[in-house]
């Protein structure tokens, strides 16, 4: 991943000078509302914000929008989701079981209003019936993750897909049976690899390598990961890392780690829960063996919605790969015959059963927005948006807030993980919520704030820091006082 020539911080300083010039202002401060408004006025993606519902908290007036910085946990609902889901309910009501094979053409102008922010779609278009409804999705999803359409399918949920991918891609032997994973990986990932190791008759205490940061550090150094691979590679059957670490927000160097693993004969998989829809991925070009993700965080597909899976093209026609098979992975033309299993080439051959139609409909609404915006354009905005957040926190709260997330914008997504000095994080969270801010806390002591470029504004970021400063400077408890009220 090549480093950009101009950092987000440098870009923001250039925009600050431009704002002063255009508005005939002197020595404008970063936290000035005029500057945040100026940044929003220059944002070509700003109209996308109007395509989303913003929740309301009980204490808010009906005209007050929440500051929503929680896309790392659950993305906002596109306004078009209701229409896409209702469309399939209407098909069910009108057709019953025949909806599996017949579907009315779709007028996307009526469904999602994307024509209001770009070139309109002309007339109604054919639409896949339920039998192939996930085929409405995989090409759009492949563009988000930098893959060939053949390499992507929409199926199951994240933890289920982790297990399904370890069937063909964790092949332990007597001498090569270890799995390398980051020490503080998401618990479900850790449970999955531990149980897979036990299932194959090995002991996690000897077959699991946990990559830990150096003493006194939070971030894993790429050179340390590569050193572990070089040292233990002949014993490692599978490397499984997060694309973006859920706790610190670190964006791992997927290309370098994958390449190092392959050189030692390891298979390499990635959990992209916090990376998909957040950073620009190139899974095909990076030669990743496999990857899985959820679609309810930055992808805005809805709570607990169907997940996604990537299997590299070089494995597409390998029928010798062990897999748990189901009829939806079988040759589509003979799916209802009692034939021997004939896997569909590519990721589709790993599907088990027919996809949930209503979840696919909700995800389609969001994927169409991603397709309109483009992941590379979203990433460019995100770098500046999160860079602005970091600069404001450093300027306004540098002595009170520690940012755990890497300062290098190439090594992070939109999330900043914040640690507070001398205050109870739960009280900070509650006070922010009472002021109309939604973010989240991860134990033991981190608050995650994630401005999403699809729907967050620069004014959102500025207002968040203003409110956070109010919380931390009003009746601040003494250092170490967990019970003191803010």
């Amino acid at each position: 991943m090549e480093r950009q020539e101009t950092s987000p911080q440098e870009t923001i300083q250039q925009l600050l000078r431009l704002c002063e010039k255009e508005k005939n202002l002197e020595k404008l401060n970063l936290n000035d509302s005029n500057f945040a408004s100026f940044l929003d006025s220059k944002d070509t993606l700003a109209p996308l914000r109007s395509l989303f519902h913003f929740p309301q908290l009980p204490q808010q007036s009906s005209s007050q929008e929440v500051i929503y910085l929680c896309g790392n946990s659950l993305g906002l609902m596109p306004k078009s989701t209701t229409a896409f889901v209702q469309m399939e309910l209407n098909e069910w009501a009108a057709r019953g079981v025949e909806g599996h094979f017949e579907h009315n053409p779709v007028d996307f102008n009526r469904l999602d209003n994307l024509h209001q922010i770009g070139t309109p779609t002309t007339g109604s278009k054919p639409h896949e019936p339920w039998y192939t409804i996930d085929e409405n999705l995989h090409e759009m999803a492949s563009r988000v993750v930098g893959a060939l359409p053949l390499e992507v399918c929409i199926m199951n949920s994240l933890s289920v897909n982790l297990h399904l991918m370890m069937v063909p891609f964790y092949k332990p032997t007597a001498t090569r049976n270890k799995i390398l994973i980051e020490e503080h990986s998401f618990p479900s990932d850790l449970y999955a690899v531990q149980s897979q190791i036990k299932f194959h008759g090995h002991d996690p205490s000897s077959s699991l390598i946990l990559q830990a940061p150096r003493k006194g550090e939070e971030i894993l150094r790429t050179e340390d990961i590569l050193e572990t691979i070089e040292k233990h590679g002949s014993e490692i059957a599978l490397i499984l890392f997060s694309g973006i670490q859920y706790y610190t927000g670190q964006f791992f160097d997927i290309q370098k780690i994958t390449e190092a693993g392959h050189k030692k004969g390891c298979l390499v998989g990635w959990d992209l829960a916090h990376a998909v829809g957040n950073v620009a991925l190139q899974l095909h070009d990076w030669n990743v063996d496999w990857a899985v993700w959820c679609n309810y965080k930055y992808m805005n597909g809805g709570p607990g919605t169907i997940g996604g899976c990537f299997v590299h093209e070089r494995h597409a026609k390998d029928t010798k790969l062990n897999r748990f098979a189901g009829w939806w992975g079988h040759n589509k033309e003979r799916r209802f015959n009692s034939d021997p299993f004939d896997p569909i080439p590519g990721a589709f051959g790993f599907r088990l059963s027919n996809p949930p139609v209503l979840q696919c409909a909700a995800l389609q609404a969001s994927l169409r927005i991603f397709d309109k915006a483009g992941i590379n354009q979203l990433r460019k905005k995100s770098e500046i948006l999160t860079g602005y957040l970091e600069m404001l926190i450093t300027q306004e709260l540098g002595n009170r807030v520690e940012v755990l997330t890497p300062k290098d914008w190439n090594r992070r997504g939109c999330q900043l993980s914040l640690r507070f000095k001398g205050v109870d994080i739960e009280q900070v969270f509650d006070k922010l919520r009472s002021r109309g801010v939604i973010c989240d806390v991860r134990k033991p002591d981190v608050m995650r704030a994630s401005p999403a470029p699809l729907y967050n504004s620069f004014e959102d970021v500025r207002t968040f820091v203003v409110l956070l400063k109010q919380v931390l400077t009003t009746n601040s408890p003494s250092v170490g006082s967990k019970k003191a009220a803010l």
Side-chain angles (χ1 to χ4, degrees):
M1 287 172 282
E2 295 183 2
R3 190 179 181 88
Q4 291 191 15
E5 293 182 4
T6 304
S7 73
Q9 290 82 359
E10 290 169 329
T11 299
I12 291 165
Q13 289 294 349
Q14 291 170 5
L15 288 167
L16 186 65
R17 302 287 84 81
L18 181 61
C19 181
E20 290 171 343
K21 183 178 179 181
E22 288 191 8
K23 293 182 177 292
N24 197 27
L25 297 169
E26 292 186 8
K27 295 182 180 180
L28 195 63
N29 200 299
L30 286 172
N31 65 359
D32 193 305
S33 61
N34 286 309
F35 182 51
S37 297
F38 176 79
L39 291 174
D40 285 326
S41 72
K42 299 296 183 182
D43 177 17
T44 58
L45 298 177
L48 296 173
R49 180 183 177 95
S50 67
L51 301 178
F52 291 87
H53 288 292
F54 280 78
Q56 278 194 298
L57 295 173
Q59 69 274 15
Q60 288 183 292
S61 67
S62 58
S63 61
Q64 189 179 3
E65 277 191 346
V66 74
I67 306 295
Y68 194 86
L69 301 177
C70 208
N72 54 277
S73 187
L74 179 67
L76 290 182
M77 176 182 166
K79 293 178 179 177
S80 58
T81 300
T82 302
F84 274 87
V85 172
Q86 187 62 53
M87 172 178 67
E88 302 305 342
L89 292 174
N90 293 344
E91 291 288 319
W92 183 18
R95 298 182 188 275
V97 71
E98 292 185 349
H100 282 99
F101 303 102
E102 298 176 2
H103 200 291
N104 282 324
V106 177
D107 181 355
F108 287 108
N109 284 343
R110 181 181 61 81
L111 280 182
D112 58 22
N113 291 324
L114 285 180
H115 63 285
Q116 295 179 359
I117 59 170
T119 305
T121 304
T122 305
S124 296
K125 301 290 184 183
H127 193 276
E128 295 291 341
W130 303 336
Y131 186 64
T132 50
I133 191 168
D134 54 340
E135 295 180 22
N136 290 317
L137 312 177
H138 76 287
E139 287 195 19
M140 290 188 288
S142 71
R143 289 190 280 274
V144 174
V145 299
L148 304 177
L150 172 80
E151 297 172 320
V152 171
C153 69
I154 302 300
M155 67 179 194
N156 311 312
S157 59
L158 175 53
S159 293
V160 171
N161 287 335
L162 275 171
H163 280 290
L164 289 178
M165 288 297 101
M166 281 190 274
V167 174
F169 295 114
Y170 175 52
K171 300 180 283 189
T173 66
T175 57
R176 187 190 283 270
N177 54 60
K178 295 185 178 182
I179 297 178
L180 171 63
I181 191 171
E182 75 255 34
E183 182 179 55
H184 300 296
S185 61
F186 192 72
S188 192
D189 293 32
L190 185 60
Y191 303 154
V193 298
Q194 288 172 334
S195 62
Q196 286 282 338
I197 289 170
K198 291 177 183 178
F199 178 78
H200 286 280
H202 298 281
D203 187 343
S205 65
S206 57
S207 292
L208 186 59
I209 301 175
L210 298 173
Q211 183 74 48
R214 296 184 186 185
K215 187 176 181 180
E217 296 183 357
E218 298 283 349
I219 302 302
L220 286 170
R221 298 192 187 191
T222 301
E223 60 264 33
D224 292 349
I225 300 170
L226 301 183
E227 182 181 343
T228 298
I229 295 170
E230 180 62 32
K231 182 178 180 180
H232 298 285
S234 61
E235 307 168 278
I236 296 172
L238 175 66
I239 298 168
L240 175 60
F241 269 73
S242 308
I244 289 183
Q245 220 283 335
Y246 84 102
Y247 191 76
T248 66
Q250 178 182 3
F251 180 19
F252 290 110
D253 196 324
I254 295 175
Q255 185 175 18
K256 280 187 179 179
I257 294 169
T258 300
E259 183 180 341
H262 287 165
K263 284 181 179 178
K264 301 297 288 189
C266 313
L267 290 165
V268 186
W270 293 88
D271 173 352
L272 301 177
H274 288 267
V276 68
N278 181 3
V279 291
L281 301 166
Q282 295 296 329
L283 299 186
H284 175 81
D285 291 345
W286 295 342
N287 277 318
V288 168
D289 288 298
W290 62 272
V292 292
W293 59 89
C294 54
N295 281 306
Y296 52 79
K297 299 181 186 295
Y298 299 105
M299 293 305 296
N300 312 307
T305 197
I306 192 168
C309 180
F310 166 91
V311 180
H312 198 278
E313 180 188 27
R314 66 179 175 278
H315 303 299
K317 296 181 180 179
D318 187 355
T319 57
K320 294 181 181 179
L321 277 177
N322 253 341
R323 71 184 79 198
F324 287 162
W327 69 319
W328 232 251
H330 178 62
N331 186 317
K332 186 169 67 174
E333 304 306 318
R334 301 199 304 273
R335 185 170 287 159
F336 288 92
N337 300 345
S338 297
D339 296 338
F341 182 67
D342 178 18
I344 301 170
F348 273 33
F350 292 88
R351 298 179 302 175
L352 296 182
S353 57
N354 50 323
V357 168
L358 301 184
Q359 291 184 28
C360 286
L363 181 56
Q364 184 178 10
S366 179
L367 280 169
R368 283 181 52 79
I369 299 174
F370 271 94
D371 229 26
K372 175 69 72 173
I375 190 64
N376 291 324
Q377 291 302 113
L378 288 168
R379 175 61 172 156
K380 287 178 183 177
K381 175 183 173 179
S382 178
E383 290 171 349
I384 298 173
L385 193 63
T386 297
Y388 183 50
L389 173 59
E390 181 187 36
M391 291 174 76
L392 285 176
I393 288 172
T394 300
Q395 174 181 290
E396 302 296 318
L397 298 163
N399 62 334
R400 292 175 174 268
V401 179
E402 176 190 2
V403 178
L404 272 63
T405 311
K407 292 185 179 298
D408 182 353
W409 70 96
N410 287 297
R411 296 273 66 84
R412 69 185 184 202
C414 64
Q415 172 185 326
L416 289 187
S417 298
L418 310 178
R419 179 177 285 159
F420 301 96
K421 301 173 183 179
V423 295
D424 181 357
I425 193 169
E426 296 287 354
Q427 293 184 37
V428 175
F429 173 81
D430 290 343
K431 288 291 185 180
L432 281 172
R433 189 176 183 277
S434 72
R435 288 162 167 78
V437 176
I438 296 180
C439 46
D440 73 358
V441 169
R442 282 295 173 264
K443 301 292 186 179
D445 60 355
V446 159
M447 177 180 290
R448 303 184 297 184
S450 304
L454 271 177
Y455 49 74
N456 281 124
S457 66
F458 290 90
E459 180 58 28
D460 284 343
V461 165
R462 190 197 72 84
T463 302
F464 167 70
V465 176
V466 168
L467 295 174
L468 180 58
K469 188 175 183 179
Q470 286 179 11
V471 167
L472 294 176
T473 55
T474 304
N475 298 324
S476 299
S478 60
V479 173
S481 175
K482 291 284 186 178
K483 300 294 185 182
L486 288 170

